[in-house]
Amino acid sequence: MLTLRGDLPTLSRYNLSGPYVMTIGNFDGIHAGHQVLIKQLIETSRKTGAQSLLLTFDPHPLFVLSPDKPFRMIMSMDQKEKVLSDLGLDVLAILTFTSSLSQFSPRDFALSVLRDLFHPSYLFVGEGFRFGHGRTGTIEDLRHYLGPDGVQVSGVLPYEDHGIRVSSSRIRKAVDQGEMEEAARLLTRPLELSGPVMEGEKRGRTLGFPTLNLIPPDHRLIPPLGVYATRTEINGLLYDGVTYIGTKPTFGTHRPVIETHLFSFSKECYGVFHRVFFYRRLRGERSFSNVEALVSQIATDAAAARRTLHDHPFTGTARSL
């Protein structure tokens, strides 16, 4: 997959002669509903011989338009790029979202960005898609502005699960409630948090449970405090483990931490990038009267995580998660 990124002048310097079978949106999570649209996009591109292209934005428009509004991304742009590549997309265009871009009228955006920059032959968008200044542009506007140039605009109906639309907000709600299996079902893969292994207090190894420490990324959706059955990818290999998200109340500290103990990995790997996949919430956060009680509970949690992961067999490569 080819990835292009930058503002409008930067993207205009690429050779984007098209025609493309194209879609546009934030696609946060690339959940089951998104995948229905992307599948149609790719199938049409293969039938017509054109390349498939997805246009998205970085940062998310809400960070520019409503910077004071709390908002948490389900996935990072790097994760989005991996998943889209695995789905078979040909081109990912990441357009820098700015306040000046938000002022484009629907007409200017449709013609100056979509038509003149990407030259699409087909454009797939969700039925509720809105664009342009004040989100006033509709699918009918796209057809009006792009139709004369031969662009076929198709609206894709929302994908429903158990009669309810699959959406990024529905996934955020599931995660906030600790329903990791529900979130994974809607995403079609476990929720992921990733980053470099950070040096911690090294207290876990003195307890017999060494951990990999991850600083929670800013503006990311993080499961509630508690203990989770997880798998962690390091250098392309997956390891079963148990992850704690909390504030270490037993030791009197209240800084949120994400600590993962792996069952079959004991190497030091500070600075190494790792990906943690959340399968099930085992329990909430609690404090213990002494270290011995804590160690006993960690052993119990580890055993519960082993049983959970045994019921979630994994085949394939870490990249396909």
Side-chain angles (χ1 to χ4, degrees):
M1 184 182 73
L2 174 65
T3 300
L4 312 173
R5 63 183 77 216
D7 55 16
L8 282 177
T10 300
L11 290 183
S12 66
R13 289 195 286 269
Y14 290 101
N15 182 24
L16 300 172
S17 56
Y20 293 102
V21 178
M22 179 179 180
T23 188
I24 176 175
N26 293 305
F27 294 96
D28 187 23
I30 314 181
H31 53 61
H34 293 146
Q35 291 175 40
V36 169
L37 187 154
I38 293 170
K39 181 179 179 180
Q40 292 186 36
L41 176 85
I42 294 174
E43 287 178 350
T44 302
S45 74
R46 290 173 178 169
K47 289 178 182 178
T48 61
Q51 287 192 306
S52 56
L53 183 147
L54 186 149
L55 173 63
T56 192
F57 304 99
D58 188 33
H60 191 289
L62 282 179
F63 291 131
V64 175
L65 301 177
S66 303
D68 297 328
K69 182 179 179 180
F71 182 71
R72 298 159 302 154
M73 299 289 293
I74 296 173
M75 68 191 328
S76 69
M77 189 59 70
D78 287 343
Q79 292 168 12
K80 185 179 295 186
E81 188 173 353
K82 287 185 176 68
V83 173
L84 289 172
S85 178
D86 290 338
L87 289 174
L89 186 73
D90 293 315
V91 181
L92 172 62
I94 305 170
L95 176 59
T96 303
F97 193 87
T98 63
S99 57
S100 60
L101 183 66
S102 73
Q103 298 300 312
F104 276 45
S105 68
R107 179 183 184 277
D108 288 343
F109 189 86
L111 298 180
S112 299
V113 179
L114 299 182
R115 185 194 67 181
D116 295 346
L117 190 58
F118 297 103
H119 313 285
S121 55
Y122 289 81
L123 179 62
F124 288 87
V125 292
E127 279 287 353
F129 179 72
R130 296 292 184 270
F131 69 103
H133 181 61
R135 291 172 49 83
T136 55
T138 65
I139 293 179
E140 289 307 315
D141 290 322
L142 289 172
R143 291 178 176 137
H144 174 71
Y145 295 129
L146 301 178
D149 291 295
V151 182
Q152 182 171 325
V153 179
S154 297
V156 179
L157 293 174
Y159 175 74
E160 294 187 349
D161 171 79
H162 295 150
I164 304 174
R165 178 187 174 191
V166 175
S167 65
S168 298
S169 59
R170 182 177 172 186
I171 293 166
R172 290 188 186 93
K173 181 178 179 180
V175 172
D176 285 341
Q177 294 176 344
E179 298 173 355
M180 307 313 300
E181 289 168 304
E182 172 72 357
R185 191 173 62 81
L186 299 175
L187 285 167
T188 72
R189 63 193 177 281
L191 182 77
E192 170 190 346
L193 288 174
S194 58
V197 176
M198 307 301 294
E199 187 168 0
E201 300 171 354
K202 302 180 180 180
R203 186 176 279 120
R205 67 180 60 186
T206 66
L207 302 177
F209 296 94
T211 61
L212 306 181
N213 300 290
L214 173 66
I215 294 178
D218 291 336
H219 308 297
R220 285 294 307 282
L221 178 65
I222 298 174
L225 304 184
V227 176
Y228 296 81
T230 58
R231 285 192 170 103
T232 298
E233 185 223 329
I234 302 174
N235 295 327
L237 298 177
L238 280 172
Y239 301 89
D240 288 357
V242 60
T243 295
Y244 168 71
I245 301 178
T247 56
K248 294 187 178 179
T250 299
F251 295 101
T253 62
H254 299 281
R255 179 176 62 87
V257 294
I258 299 178
E259 298 183 325
T260 300
H261 169 67
L262 304 181
F263 302 144
S264 59
F265 185 93
S266 59
K267 299 177 183 178
E268 287 192 359
C269 52
Y270 298 130
V272 174
F273 188 84
H274 69 306
R275 306 163 65 196
V276 183
F277 302 94
F278 291 80
Y279 283 78
R280 180 182 294 171
R281 188 176 193 229
L282 302 175
R283 64 171 175 85
E285 185 183 43
R286 52 180 291 199
S287 59
F288 299 89
S289 57
N290 53 59
V291 173
E292 289 73 20
L294 171 61
V295 171
S296 176
Q297 183 61 57
I298 295 175
T300 300
D301 293 337
R306 289 180 188 272
R307 291 192 298 271
T308 294
L309 296 171
H310 182 268
D311 294 335
H312 290 76
F314 174 78
T315 57
T317 64
R319 184 175 174 80
S320 67
L321 270 171

